[in-house]
Amino acid sequence: VDFMGDIVNKYGYASSGESFSIADKNEVWVMEMIGKGAEKGAVWIAVRIPDNAISGHANEPRIRKVDLKDKKNVKYSKDVISFARKRGYFNGKDEDFSFADAYENHTASTRRGCDARVWSYFNKMTEGGLPQYLPWAMRGEGETMPLWVKPSRPVTVDDMKWMMRDHFEDTPMDMTKDIGAGPFAVPYRWRPMSYTVNGENYVHERAIATQQTGFSFVSQMRSDRPDGMKGLLWFGVDDANTCAYIPIFCAVTTP
């Protein structure tokens, strides 16, 4: 996290914005970063995920109000708040600062296409699900969905592989049961996601699994293995719903 912050400060950041999962055998951090436009560098914030929790991010920032004084679990660029004030993105007290709300113009559409995927993952991994956040996932309304939740049991590699195949099954957004599924309950939806028929606007769901996926992977960190085997990528090509995940050790140097 510190290294990434240092190099964008020194060399600049060409991308508009991104979320990163950063992990080793001991801990996991979620880092969110956005460029400064014409100015050199980037503003960013990173949060350590508790050992007994799971987190997720899907194409929009999700780090909101955090304890900025918690140096053990929170890191951020020195100008993350001052830059937002200068640009008119935020004008409250420092302790009320939310990176996600200052640096992203959220809409009900982006919630449905982005946070809904995180909700589906959280919902599947918690006993009884998380119906209290369904209005947030579907319409951007109600209680704000947190950055992390506690799963009902330890999450396995196979759990993660199956989550990569998710189409909102057994939820109100189930793509195998809406009108677009047709007579064969097909979860695939072609792009664009939104379209208009007879003056009415419609949208396809954006699930975790999509037919246009080029590749996907599940990263496994194993503290009980030698260094060359601690990191293991379960890698698959094409649609995650139908791909076969093969193991690739972090020590591999040739195809």
Side-chain angles (χ1 to χ4, degrees), residues 10 29 35 50 54 76 95 108 137 148 155 166 169 218 226 243:
K10 183 177 181 179
W29 289 69
I54 59 174
Y76 49 91
E95 56 266 30
W148 51 267
V155 177
D166 183 69
E169 283 87 351
V218 174
C243 77

Side-chain angles (χ1 to χ4, degrees), residues 32-204:
E32 296 182 337
M33 180 181 292
I34 187 167
K36 294 182 178 180
E39 294 188 36
K40 185 180 179 180
V43 288
W44 56 271
I45 190 168
V47 174
R48 182 183 183 276
I49 305 303
D51 293 341
N52 62 347
I54 59 174
S55 183
H57 51 83
N59 296 107
E60 69 171 347
R62 301 197 60 250
I63 298 177
R64 291 186 162 77
K65 185 177 176 179
V66 295
D67 183 359
L68 298 173
K69 297 179 181 179
D70 183 3
K71 304 301 183 182
K72 180 181 178 181
N73 298 301
V74 179
K75 294 176 178 288
Y76 49 91
S77 59
K78 62 182 181 180
D79 59 346
V80 68
I81 298 179
S82 62
F83 185 81
R85 291 187 190 280
K86 182 173 70 173
R87 288 298 182 93
Y89 304 151
F90 176 72
N91 58 12
K93 297 179 180 179
D94 284 4
E95 56 266 30
D96 294 328
F97 176 74
S98 164
F99 185 94
D101 294 316
Y103 290 108
E104 176 62 63
N105 182 26
H106 301 280
T107 66
S109 176
T110 59
R111 292 275 153 75
R112 187 70 169 256
C114 301
D115 259 11
R117 284 177 276 162
V118 179
W119 174 82
S120 188
Y121 167 49
F122 285 178
N123 186 62
K124 287 268 178 66
M125 294 299 170
T126 52
E127 187 174 357
L130 295 172
Q132 68 269 36
Y133 300 122
L134 185 57
W136 176 269
M138 295 188 71
R139 298 181 297 277
E141 300 173 353
E143 187 177 353
T144 304
M145 192 166 64
L147 178 64
W148 51 267
V149 298
K150 295 180 181 179
S152 55
R153 57 180 173 78
V155 177
T156 68
V157 171
D158 280 346
D159 286 335
M160 294 305 301
K161 291 175 185 176
W162 281 108
M163 278 310 310
M164 297 298 287
R165 310 181 196 282
D166 183 69
H167 300 108
F168 294 113
E169 283 87 351
D170 301 319
T171 78
M173 294 175 280
D174 192 334
M175 297 175 70
T176 67
K177 296 181 180 178
D178 66 26
I179 192 170
F184 301 107
V186 176
Y188 301 116
R189 302 291 182 274
W190 315 124
R191 296 297 183 258
M193 287 179 60
S194 59
Y195 56 97
T196 302
V197 177
N198 297 328
E200 293 289 335
N201 296 323
Y202 297 87
V203 64
H204 292 312

